Amino acid sequence: MNISIISSITLLIFISFCVTPKKMHIFEIIFIWLVVWLLMHPLSWIIYVNLTWIKVSTKIGDFWTYALDRLILFPLLIVLFFEASLRFNQKAAKCIILFVAILTLMLNEYVLLRMGVLHEVKWNIVSSFIEKSFILLVTYFLWMKFRKKFI
């Protein structure tokens, strides 16, 4: 049941992403996607496995739900928020968009906790905020450097 909910949400967001006009180049999207993967997987597994703040469910359906969320939905949300940040020129608007992105990513993790895909051990909202903001801000910084250099 969890995998059908997450895959439906992911598919709807992915379709809406594909049909909307974009200001980003395809290489930027691929760059952001790969940076998110490279930052997120080691960091989340250090937090989840080594520090045991959160446990991933051992059920195969829940594990694939988590994998789908981390491999597709998480980077897709970040790309969507970065695309939205390109539509504004004010720094305050960009900061608000990045803050909303962090809150959305935290909400995504909270929903996975409540669905039973992840199991709470020592999870708290501050650590989730730090993890999500680190991933988002480092990705944003690297994307801006990439954008200045190549685009």
Side-chain angles (χ1 to χ4, degrees):
M1 181 68 176
N2 293 337
I3 195 160
S4 64
I5 293 170
I6 295 295
S7 62
S8 298
I9 292 170
T10 303
L11 187 62
L12 288 173
I13 293 173
F14 189 70
I15 289 171
S16 67
F17 173 73
C18 288
V19 299
T20 56
K22 290 166 214 39
K23 291 189 171 211
M24 292 171 55
H25 193 273
I26 187 71
F27 291 140
E28 287 180 284
I29 295 170
I30 293 170
F31 176 79
I32 292 168
W33 207 283
L34 292 176
V35 167
V36 169
W37 276 358
L38 289 173
L39 286 175
M40 181 187 53
H41 290 294
L43 185 65
S44 66
W45 284 112
I46 287 170
I47 290 172
Y48 295 171
V49 176
N50 294 348
L51 297 176
T52 61
W53 288 352
I54 295 175
K55 283 186 175 181
V56 179
S57 178
T58 56
K59 296 178 188 172
I60 193 73
D62 289 341
F63 178 78
W64 282 111
T65 303
Y66 176 73
L68 180 70
D69 182 74
R70 289 295 171 174
L71 292 175
I72 298 173
L73 186 60
F74 198 89
L76 183 61
L77 289 173
I78 291 176
V79 169
L80 281 172
F81 282 111
F82 286 178
E83 178 72 33
S85 74
L86 286 177
R87 304 200 184 274
F88 296 100
N89 291 331
Q90 298 91 5
K91 289 191 183 235
K94 291 183 185 222
C95 290
I96 289 171
I97 288 173
L98 290 176
F99 186 72
V100 169
I102 292 169
L103 292 179
T104 304
L105 297 174
M106 288 172 52
L107 179 68
N108 179 28
E109 185 175 63
Y110 182 76
V111 167
L112 289 176
L113 282 167
R114 291 299 153 226
M115 288 173 65
V117 174
L118 299 174
H119 301 290
E120 183 177 337
V121 177
K122 292 184 274 184
W123 180 83
N124 60 22
I125 199 157
V126 175
S127 62
S128 179
F129 181 79
I130 291 170
E131 176 199 6
K132 302 303 184 262
S133 60
F134 176 78
I135 291 170
L136 194 75
L137 294 176
V138 169
T139 305
Y140 187 78
F141 174 74
L142 292 174
W143 171 55
M144 284 292 123
K145 291 290 186 186
F146 178 83
R147 192 168 176 85
K148 282 183 186 177
K149 183 81 174 176
F150 297 109
I151 306 286

